[in-house]
Amino acid sequence: MIQLHQVSYQYNPHEPAALSDLNFTLEDGSFHFLNGPSGAGKTTLFKLMYMDLKPVSGTLTLFDRNVANLTREEIAHTRRRMGLVFQDFRLLDHLNVRENVSLPLSLHGKMTKSQEKCVDEILDWVGLGDKLNAHPNCLSGGEKQRVGIARAVVNRPKILVADEPTGNVDDAMGQRIMHLFTELNKHGTTVLLATHDQSLIRSFNYPVIHLDKGKYVKTASIYK
Amino acid sequence: MFKTIAQSAKKALSLKKDSIFRLLVVMTALLGWVTGVGAGGLSGLENLYQQWQLEQKSKISVYLLADSDAEKISQMKGDLRALLGVEDVGVLATEKTEELLAPWFEGEKNFPLPIVLEVTVDRILDRESFDGLIHRDFPEAEIDDARSLLVAVSRGVRFAQIVTIGFAVVMFMVMALLVSLTVRAGLRGKMHSLAILQYVGATDRFIVSLVTRQVMVQSIKGWFGAAVLSLLSVFAVQHWLQAATPYISEVVWASVVVVPFVLVFIATVSAWMTSYHFVRKARP
C-alpha cells in the first residue's frame, strides 16, 4: 500500500511548494494513472516515492513504513522491491542492454540460470531480443525506454513507478508495454504510471490521479 | 562482505579503466619495492650487527707488560680456564701483536711488545670476577673492554633502524593518501553509475565492497610486482656483493616478500574508509 497523508515538498523556501498537502492511498495491486500539466509536481511525487527526496511535511508510507524513518540500508532494500522507469532512461552506457537489465538481479550475487533466462525473455518481450549486446548509445530513444522498462520489471517488483514510459515509443509498442504492466498488475504489482497521453488513459479503465500546481485535484475512476 | 558479485554490478562500478586507477598498480609496485628492499636491508643490518656483537662479546684481550713473569702468566691462564664462562685462553703470536699495535708505533721496531692474552668467553661470564682475577696477579694489566664501543654501535644501528622504520611509515601514509585520492577521483567520475546502482537497490555496503575489492585486487597485483622486484634486488646483492651474503638470511628473504604486503592491507583499509565516507555523503 502507498499512502500519502498531508505530504508537501518544497525545493526552495522562497518558491511555492512543488507539492502541497497530498492525501491519497493506492491499495496493493491497484493500477493508477498520474496525470497533470507540466510543473504539476508529477516528477517530484515520483522522487518522493522512490525516496530520492523526503517529504518536508506529512507522511508517505510504503510497505507499511514511513519513508522518513527509513535508514539508508532500509531505503536500498525497499527500492529492491520497486521498479522505477525514468523519463530520462538512466541507463549505463558502458554496459550492454543485457547487463543494464540484469543490474537489479546482480545485487544478490551471481545470477542463476533462470534469472538469466528471465532477462532474455523480458528483452524479447519488449522487442530487443536481437540487441542484447548493443550499448545504449547505439539505441534510439524508444529502445532505451524499453531497456529501462525491462530493467524495472525484471525482478517482478511489488510497486512499479513509471514516469512517461510510453513517451518515446510508437503506439503499437506503447500498447505492448501497457499490456506488460497490466500483466504485472494482475500478478499483484501496484502500478503508478505518469502520462500525458490521453488516448492511452482512455484505452484502459484505470483510475486517474490528477495533479495541478502541486495539488491533488481528484481521482477519476474513468477518464472522460 | 566479499560474496560473489555478478558481472553487471561489478562492471557498472568498474574503476579499472581509469588511468589513475591503473597507476595504483605501478605505485604499489614501486612503493612496495622500496619498502621490501628497506625491510630486507634492515633485517640484513640486524644480522650483521648481531654477528659483530657476538664476536665482540666473545673475545676479551688482556694486555700485560712485556716483562711479565711467564710462570705467573701460566698460573693465571690455568685459573682463568677454571672460571665459569671462559672457554679458552691463548697468547697472541708476536707477529700478530706487532700487526695489531702497528698503527700506534709507526716505525718503532725496538719498542718492547706487550704480551696479549686472548680469552674466548661466553655469555655466562661474570665480568667482575674475571677482572678481579687478572688484577690480583697483574694490577697493571689492561683489559680491553668493548662495552662502550658496543653501546655506541648499538645506538647507531638502532638509530638507522628507527630512521628506516620512520621512512616506511611515511611510505605507508603516502600509500594511504594515494589510494584515498584515487578512489575519490574514481568515484567522482562514476556518480551516474553510483546513482543508478542506488536506484536499483544497491546498499552502501554493497557499493563499498565493490570499490574495496577492486582496490585490493589492484594492490595485490602491485604487491606481486614489488615482491618480484625485491627478490631480484636481493639476488643482485647476493651476486654482486659477496661480502653481504652471510647476512642474507631466510628472514631477509621473507621480509622482502612479506613487508610490502602491508601496503595491500593499507590500500584496502584506505579504500574501504574513503569509499564508505564518499558513499555515505551521496544521497541514497
Side-chain angles (χ1 to χ4, degrees):
Chain A
M1 190 167 69
I2 303 171
Q3 196 170 35
L4 287 92
H5 177 71
Q6 297 290 107
V7 169
S8 298
Y9 190 82
Q10 204 166 9
Y11 286 97
N12 190 327
H14 308 294
E15 285 173 13
L19 291 174
S20 57
D21 301 331
L22 291 190
N23 286 296
F24 62 83
T25 301
L26 306 182
E27 295 295 338
D28 283 343
S30 63
F31 195 127
H32 284 79
F33 284 115
L34 182 66
N35 188 234
S38 294
K42 299 191 295 292
T43 303
T44 305
L45 179 59
F46 276 143
K47 283 185 176 177
L48 289 174
M49 285 194 173
Y50 58 74
M51 294 156 285
D52 205 16
L53 301 175
K54 280 189 177 177
V56 171
S57 64
T59 314
L60 168 62
T61 309
L62 286 175
F63 301 110
D64 301 323
R65 295 284 306 271
N66 179 356
V67 297
N69 300 333
L70 296 179
T71 62
R72 293 174 68 91
E73 186 92 4
E74 286 169 337
I75 288 174
H77 284 287
T78 306
R79 280 179 180 160
R80 289 184 188 187
R81 300 167 73 189
M82 297 174 77
L84 311 172
V85 180
F86 300 96
Q87 212 171 350
D88 56 355
F89 324 126
R90 303 205 189 171
L91 302 175
L92 293 172
D93 286 337
H94 62 289
L95 301 190
N96 63 29
V97 166
R98 207 164 181 264
E99 289 163 342
N100 264 292
V101 173
S102 62
L103 209 52
L105 301 172
S106 70
L107 301 178
H108 304 286
K110 204 169 183 180
M111 279 169 59
T112 60
K113 288 271 174 211
S114 66
Q115 283 175 321
E116 284 177 12
K117 201 178 155 201
C118 177
V119 170
D120 292 349
E121 276 173 6
I122 282 175
L123 281 169
D124 220 20
W125 212 94
V126 294
L128 292 170
D130 57 337
K131 298 205 168 170
L132 298 179
N133 296 315
H135 284 258
N137 47 16
C138 305
L139 302 176
S140 68
E143 286 170 331
K144 284 181 191 172
Q145 186 66 286
R146 283 182 272 157
V147 176
I149 290 165
R151 185 183 64 192
V153 302
V154 74
N155 58 348
R156 299 182 190 276
K158 292 277 173 214
I159 296 174
L160 181 73
V161 177
D163 197 2
E164 297 282 358
T166 56
N168 294 290
V169 295
D170 57 38
D171 286 348
M173 184 47 72
Q175 290 293 325
R176 210 174 154 83
I177 287 166
M178 278 306 296
H179 282 295
L180 173 66
F181 289 171
T182 307
E183 276 303 308
L184 277 169
N185 177 243
K186 277 181 189 164
H187 286 90
T189 300
T190 309
V191 182
L192 181 64
L193 193 152
T195 184
H196 280 110
D197 189 346
Q198 304 297 338
S199 63
L200 187 76
I201 294 173
R202 257 183 243 119
S203 329
F204 292 86
N205 188 16
Y206 292 126
V208 186
I209 296 167
H210 295 274
L211 288 182
D212 193 17
K213 292 177 185 164
K215 288 185 178 149
Y216 170 75
V217 180
K218 62 175 178 177
T219 302
S221 56
I222 301 171
Y223 187 84
K224 287 180 183 172
Chain B
M1 187 181 178
F2 293 123
K3 67 175 183 174
T4 317
I5 291 167
Q7 204 60 29
S8 46
K10 202 167 147 187
K11 214 171 154 186
L13 209 62
S14 172
L15 301 170
K16 263 188 227 167
K17 285 181 183 168
D18 291 1
S19 50
I20 192 163
F21 202 71
R22 280 183 194 164
L23 207 63
L24 189 65
V25 180
V26 180
M27 289 184 310
T28 315
L30 290 176
L31 287 178
W33 181 36
V34 174
T35 312
V37 169
L42 203 67
S43 181
L45 178 67
E46 183 65 26
N47 288 343
L48 170 71
Y49 169 64
Q50 292 292 343
Q51 215 159 311
W52 175 83
Q53 197 187 31
L54 211 64
E55 270 173 27
Q56 292 298 311
K57 275 185 178 168
S58 65
K59 289 259 190 256
I60 297 176
S61 302
V62 180
Y63 296 86
L64 304 174
L65 292 175
D67 56 354
S68 297
D69 184 359
E71 202 174 317
K72 262 174 103 179
I73 292 173
S74 172
Q75 194 188 335
M76 189 184 68
K77 275 164 71 178
D79 291 346
L80 281 174
R81 280 197 188 98
L83 200 66
L84 197 67
V86 173
E87 285 178 355
D88 191 30
V89 184
V91 179
L92 199 67
T94 315
E95 304 82 58
K96 285 208 172 174
T97 310
E98 270 176 4
E99 205 178 296
L100 190 71
L101 300 174
W104 288 275
F105 303 107
E106 252 179 274
E108 277 288 342
K109 290 281 179 192
N110 298 325
F111 195 85
L113 286 173
I115 296 161
V116 182
L117 294 183
E118 269 212 328
V119 187
T120 310
V121 296
D122 59 29
R123 283 179 186 184
I124 57 167
L125 174 76
D126 176 10
R127 198 52 206 271
E128 274 184 33
S129 311
F130 179 83
D131 290 7
L133 190 69
I134 289 169
H135 286 132
R136 185 195 67 196
D137 295 337
F138 300 96
E140 69 288 354
E142 285 287 331
I143 304 167
D144 192 11
D145 193 351
R147 273 180 292 189
S148 59
L149 179 68
L150 281 171
V151 170
V153 173
S154 159
R155 278 186 189 153
V157 169
R158 296 293 169 235
F159 178 73
Q161 286 174 334
I162 286 167
V163 168
T164 314
I165 290 167
F167 189 65
V169 170
V170 172
M171 288 279 183
F172 294 154
M173 284 164 72
V174 168
M175 183 69 190
L177 188 70
L178 285 174
V179 170
S180 177
L181 293 173
T182 308
V183 167
R184 221 171 265 272
L187 283 176
R188 260 197 212 112
K190 294 276 176 197
M191 285 301 280
H192 179 63
S193 303
L194 197 69
I196 289 172
L197 274 170
Q198 287 178 322
Y199 287 137
V200 297
T203 58
D204 291 350
R205 212 187 316 166
F206 180 87
I207 293 166
V208 168
S209 77
L210 270 181
V211 176
T212 309
R213 183 190 262 243
Q214 290 181 74
V215 171
M216 196 170 76
V217 170
Q218 296 294 92
S219 55
I220 285 175
K221 283 182 196 167
W223 165 72
F224 185 74
V228 170
L229 284 171
S230 303
L231 287 172
L232 286 174
S233 304
V234 179
F235 269 122
V237 169
Q238 207 176 30
H239 186 76
W240 300 109
L241 201 66
Q242 295 288 327
T245 308
Y247 311 109
I248 300 174
S249 60
E250 291 83 3
V251 179
V252 173
W253 288 107
S255 57
V256 298
V257 175
V258 174
V259 174
F261 198 78
V262 176
L263 290 175
V264 175
F265 176 74
I266 288 170
T268 307
V269 171
S270 176
W272 182 83
M273 286 174 74
T274 309
S275 53
Y276 181 78
H277 285 287
F278 191 92
V279 171
R280 293 288 292 184
K281 274 186 188 172
R283 207 161 47 184

